Amino acid sequence: MADIRPFRCMRPCREKAAKIAALPYDVYNREEARAAVAGNPDSFLNIDRAETQFPADMDMYDERVYQKAHDLLWGMAADGSFIKDQARSYYIYELTMDGRTQTGIVACASIDDYQNQVIRKHENTRAEKEADRIRHVDVCNAQTGPIFLAYRSDEEINRVVAQAVRQEPLYDFVSDDQIRHRVFVISDDAWIRTIRQAFAAMNSIYIADGHHRAASAVKTGIKRREAHPGYTGEEEFNYFLSVLFPDDQLMIMDYNRVVKDLNGLSAEAFLDQVRQRLIVEKVDRAQRRPRKKGSFSMYLDGTWYMCTVPAEQIPSDPVGSLDVSLLQNLLLAPVLGITDPKTDGRIDFTGGIRGLDELERRVETDCAVAFAMYPTDILELFAVADAGLLMPPKSTWFEPKLRSGLFIHELDR
């Protein structure tokens, strides 16, 4: 049973919502973050990446950085940029990209459900990244970036959402990347009851994106439990901010790979190695995108090739059968010598939103070969998580990205 509950939200005033809403903190490197906040004092990225408020050589994990995030957040609350809703409510967050809409429920999920695997993960997390967000949440005393969760589509929730979006939205704006964002409140007691009961009937909910934020929120909650031995379980620190989307509305894009060298091989020798393992066909640029599972395209020495994995080489297990696993196990490790893609500096990852032209650009500038992947399916993600297994790094790229700053969950309200 999943405990997905309504909460008292702190959110932007209507006039500033579009200016405050910002892409997640982890889509930017340090230089990009500084450029993004330049001239935009209302952007929530100023809070999520508060090192941008200091000289460029400031340690981004310095305690003063987290205190600055706290001061900026609560300064904006004091000046009216943020308002506090008094009633516990769910919210609807609707995003439309290229004519396709996905509609999520904004709520708080239980840290106990994360620990007992009702909320299931498919990626490992890194301790240093967790530590950063733990300190950010703890010092700010608030969760500021929602975790992207997915669930199997439910008729009752769909019915309530369809009715709720007929209301006047709290926010309705188009961001710089041409994504339309609409937010509605669900405050009707009957609707709240229906949604909560529908989630309570679910045995599994899945982290789609935001594993580090989720792990950090849970560890912050555990830390506060230890500091409050008489806790009841109802305190806000027992829950973390989430947006939950039905599986049939989600889009996963390709997450592509580029490799900086051919491990000492010439282009001809490398191509020969590929042909020994895969079915390889030269294709033109119009045919360069993979069209089915079990295939990926390769850009090498100015030419595109379609590479298909023979059926007998595809394992039946949910991790080994992923296209990113097939590439790793058939080429990257045995031929290119990349045994740990998490740590090997010779490999880089390019989100599908950047397009295949970006792969060509990388090969023509600083890399030797690029691989364009067929996107991982949401049901593959569910299968891996249900088996208690983990995907290889950079297996999924979700679009559109949720904005931070539209919904804030205070930990002691």
Side-chain angles (χ1 to χ4, degrees), residues 101-256:
T101 297
Q102 63 186 52
T103 307
I105 302 290
V106 186
C108 280
S110 165
I111 67 173
D112 292 317
D113 284 348
Y114 179 95
Q115 291 185 288
N116 62 27
Q117 298 183 13
V118 170
I119 296 174
R120 302 187 177 188
K121 64 180 183 177
H122 66 268
E123 287 183 6
N124 268 331
T125 54
R126 292 167 55 185
E128 69 274 16
K129 288 190 173 183
E130 285 185 23
D132 168 51
R133 286 301 105 177
I134 289 170
R135 291 163 76 186
H136 193 278
V137 171
D138 209 21
V139 174
C140 287
N141 198 35
Q143 294 153 356
T144 59
I147 288 84
F148 185 160
L149 302 180
Y151 63 93
R152 291 181 173 86
S153 186
D154 179 88
E155 289 185 8
E156 286 298 296
I157 295 177
N158 292 343
R159 179 180 60 80
V160 171
V161 168
Q163 292 176 292
V165 296
R166 296 173 188 161
Q167 307 172 101
E168 180 182 355
L170 297 176
Y171 313 128
D172 185 350
F173 63 91
V174 177
S175 51
D176 291 342
D177 55 359
Q178 301 307 301
I179 309 299
R180 186 181 185 187
H181 304 262
R182 295 205 301 167
V183 172
F184 304 83
V185 64
I186 297 180
S187 55
D188 179 85
D189 288 342
W191 287 355
I192 289 175
R193 201 159 44 246
T194 297
I195 291 173
R196 193 161 191 183
Q197 289 173 353
F199 281 124
M202 297 181 188
N203 294 322
S204 303
I205 290 174
Y206 304 85
I207 300 175
D209 200 7
H211 282 78
H212 286 94
R213 287 191 293 273
S216 301
V218 170
K219 290 183 178 180
T220 301
I222 293 171
K223 176 182 175 182
R224 295 206 173 193
R225 283 180 173 182
E226 292 170 351
H228 299 82
Y231 77 91
T232 67
E234 289 298 309
E235 299 87 355
E236 294 300 325
F237 57 72
N238 294 288
Y239 294 83
F240 58 89
L241 181 65
S242 305
V243 186
L244 301 98
F245 291 91
D247 62 334
D248 56 4
Q249 293 184 15
L250 297 179
M251 179 177 72
I252 304 178
M253 298 185 74
D254 42 308
Y255 214 149
N256 303 315

Side-chain angles (χ1 to χ4, degrees), residues 48-69:
D48 258 352
R49 295 289 294 272
E51 79 275 7
T52 59
Q53 310 303 300
F54 295 90
D57 60 353
M58 172 65 120
D59 179 0
M60 63 188 297
Y61 304 124
D62 190 287
E63 287 298 334
R64 290 169 290 180
V65 171
Y66 300 100
Q67 187 60 45
K68 185 65 173 180

Side-chain angles (χ1 to χ4, degrees), residues 2-16:
D3 183 8
I4 306 296
R5 74 175 191 175
F7 70 110
R8 292 186 290 265
C9 185
M10 186 166 82
R11 56 184 179 83
C13 64
R14 189 186 297 262
E15 296 76 18
K16 287 193 172 185

